[in-house]
Amino acid sequence: DIDDLFEWANDPITRNNSYSKENIDYSTHVKWVQNKITSSDCVFLMFENALGQKVGFVRFDREEQKIWVISINIAPLQRGNGYSVELLRRALIHFKSMKGENKVDAFIKKENAASVKAFERAGFEYLKDVNIKGEDSILMTWK
């Protein structure tokens, strides 16, 4: 999966929706993935459709304040197929059964209306406006 994740990470839409705009070099990416999949502070879930095609991932990271933050990335060739809400819902069910946690936060750029809508449909609620790295964003939470 590491090569697919690398391709998705450097996709122009992914970079635009990220809080870090720079492209990622392969060796940095490999170290990052290895760190994430071995960390007890990360739950990294890959998803495939019924045809066995990779459609995306959902990741949960425990932040400094012991708050879990969710991230999602749909494979570029699978965007627009309606996977995001279903991936979020399935990931949240799995995460809750695995970690026993009932609260997850999401930070989304205000300009990313599609993600805001997907998170709302997956059960997240608006909490407040925030500014992250100079980007107008919103904090949503799932309980």
Side-chain angles (χ1 to χ4, degrees):
D1 297 331
I2 202 158
D3 291 338
D4 292 316
L5 292 171
F6 178 69
E7 180 183 324
W8 302 352
N10 284 308
D11 173 74
I13 293 172
T14 300
R15 296 284 20 105
N16 186 57
N17 289 325
S18 173
Y19 290 107
S20 296
K21 300 283 187 215
E22 306 80 29
N23 277 349
I24 302 162
D25 70 81
Y26 192 74
S27 63
T28 300
H29 170 73
V30 169
K31 289 176 189 170
W32 180 86
V33 171
Q34 290 171 339
N35 181 53
K36 290 294 180 184
I37 63 175
T38 59
S39 173
S40 62
D41 289 331
C42 180
V43 175
F44 204 123
L45 305 171
M46 290 288 293
F47 289 87
E48 294 181 347
N49 63 17
L51 301 174
Q53 300 164 324
K54 295 174 187 169
V55 296
F57 73 80
V58 177
R59 191 181 77 243
F60 299 86
D61 291 296
R62 188 175 7 222
E63 300 292 328
E64 293 174 17
Q65 300 116 344
K66 303 301 178 197
I67 301 294
W68 287 93
V69 177
I70 191 170
S71 303
I72 185 171
N73 192 346
I74 303 298
L77 295 176
Q78 299 294 340
R79 292 183 185 138
N81 292 328
Y83 287 116
S84 59
V85 176
E86 186 64 22
L87 265 61
L88 287 167
R89 286 179 179 156
R90 288 177 184 236
L92 288 160
I93 290 167
H94 181 77
F95 175 77
K96 185 174 180 178
S97 72
M98 221 180 128
K99 294 290 187 180
E101 297 284 341
N102 291 319
K103 185 175 184 298
V104 176
D105 287 343
F107 295 93
I108 306 165
K109 290 183 181 181
K110 278 188 176 181
E111 66 189 37
N112 191 349
S115 283
V116 172
K117 182 183 271 188
F119 276 85
E120 285 173 342
R121 290 176 53 204
F124 281 77
E125 297 177 0
Y126 169 87
L127 195 59
K128 64 181 178 179
D129 289 347
V130 293
N131 188 293
I132 299 176
K133 298 184 179 181
E135 301 278 355
D136 289 333
S137 303
I138 63 170
L139 169 58
M140 299 183 81
T141 194
W142 177 82
K143 296 180 186 177

